[in-house]
Amino acid sequence: MKYLIIQLSLAKPKFITFYIEMKKHLLLIATMVSAIATASANEYTFVFDGDNSLGELPRQTDEKTLEYVDGFSLTEEGINFTISKTDGTGNGFALINAGGTNAGIYVSSGIGTKIELTVPGGTITSAQINMSGYALTNLDVVFNGVETESEKEGSMYYWLWSDEGGKEKLSIEWGSTFMARYIHSIEVTYTPDLGGKQECGLSFSKKSVEGMLGERFSSPTLRNPNNLPINWTSSNENVATVDQNGKLTLISSGITIITASTEGNDEYAAGNAKYELTVIPVAKNFVQMKEEAPNVSDKVKVNFPMTVTFANGSYAYVTDSEGNAGCIHDLRNQSGSSTTVNTIYKIGNVIPAGWIATNATIYESVIWEGKPDKVTENVTVEYPEVTSVTPEDADRVVILKNVTFEKIASGTTKGYGETPDNKRYEFQDTYETSPVAVGTYDVTVLVKYSKVNTTEYFYLVPLAYQEASESKVEAAEIKDAKESYYDLTGKKIDNPKSGVYVKVSNYEATKVIVK
């Protein structure tokens, strides 16, 4: 008995593996991964990696720019797979990874679909198709002419078929519908034609493993009970190479399939065993963290300590030793299961290196999920003082100097303040720390930043307010009784615009707001 899983997304982690090769920016979508092997079954894995005979089926990340095909086919390990459009006026099929459940084979609205699985000379005994989308409860999916009702698990709908006697060919069909949907995976259990020979019996001790780039790695153990000659291959030698003794060399971050195959002999059929190897990059600071794992669900080893600058709820804002800032979320120490970060970490805690983080990017803000160890020490945190904020301050806590508020936000409403250089910022009073009066303040803020197309957006979360220190204009600068203006650094301004200034009149200096 052989098991084949056609996998197309992350939507159902039990079945699905997907990966974006970070350094090369090549999209790799694991589409056929073996199910649990039995004593008499070989393992099989197939990967959409651009080397398959798929025609020009594109891989897209944006649903608005998809390119479609009317169908495609492939052959792997004695089973043939085809998908085609049967009726309707829709666009067809596209391979997409847009994150979350928006990944897999995208079936456009307005078409009927037919999937055919054939094992020449062998038998298929069970199959399951997993999909997501709207109105799937009412979708009539037909297996070899028999309509099957859907079942649901979370946001995933799935349909099951089985036949103890087995079929050489299995057809899965549904009619045209105005709803688009995603095929996330198709799992098939089948027995190939072995030509009267016994199965080779190859298997690995593990189905999938992870290795850290540049660190020691142990391969799964190959079981070869019939002592057949073995040939070793790696599906992506840019990620890892393997010699004919099965020894691995990790090259770069990514996913590859390691295969041990045999041509068999007069008694045993040809066959193979495979496992999936994920090579995880190692980052030494937050900049490398974002470079090595830029996409949703990318993994990276955090090989540097972080200092907590602020923690609230499920979020902690941290800096590395080089001053780079980041946001981390859903952290759990080794002994805890709480997702409330500030029950674990406080300002000044140092989170040690050596844990695996997963990127869950939201807009331009990066959230890293993982399970670091307990804090190793506490340090005094001093926030940098700035007169304006930049994109480099994203997820950083800073003290923004001399912000003038004409109207104060209260509760959870927005407020706006201006700095002396006439920059106007939005303040989100998330923690109800607004000042009680109109005035000029040095504000300790958490900087949030996003960018949509070419437009940048800042909003600041105030953590504390302190009345701004008075700026003094030296008497030597007051030369006569004429009215004149100075900024808060003491520089004379001939034509003051809106902002806070020191006004000199009749040899007296007064701080004023110019509108």
Side-chain angles (χ1 to χ4, degrees), residues 401-406 417-423 438-441 468-471 473 485-491 493 496-503 510-515:
K401 302 286 287 183
N402 297 314
V403 184
T404 299
F405 294 89
E406 297 180 31
E418 288 190 2
T419 52
D421 57 0
N422 301 314
K423 290 185 178 179
V438 172
T440 301
Y441 299 87
S469 56
E470 293 289 340
S471 295
V473 178
Y485 292 86
Y486 299 81
D487 66 18
L488 297 183
T489 67
K491 180 181 178 181
I493 306 298
K497 298 180 180 178
S498 60
V500 180
Y501 299 90
V502 175
K503 176 183 176 181
T510 307
K511 189 164 67 175
V512 297
I513 297 175
V514 177
K515 298 183 178 179

Side-chain angles (χ1 to χ4, degrees), residues 125-173:
T125 54
S126 69
Q128 175 175 321
I129 183 169
N130 305 298
M131 290 192 280
S132 68
Y134 294 102
L136 281 170
T137 303
N138 301 319
L139 183 65
D140 298 327
V141 176
V142 178
F143 290 85
N144 278 359
V146 179
E147 185 177 318
T148 306
E149 293 185 359
S150 67
E151 298 185 47
K152 188 178 181 183
E153 181 179 325
S155 61
M156 182 76 67
Y157 289 82
Y158 60 95
W159 292 258
L160 298 169
W161 172 89
S162 64
D163 185 323
E164 290 185 2
K167 299 292 184 183
E168 183 175 346
K169 182 176 182 179
L170 176 62
S171 174
I172 307 172
E173 299 183 69

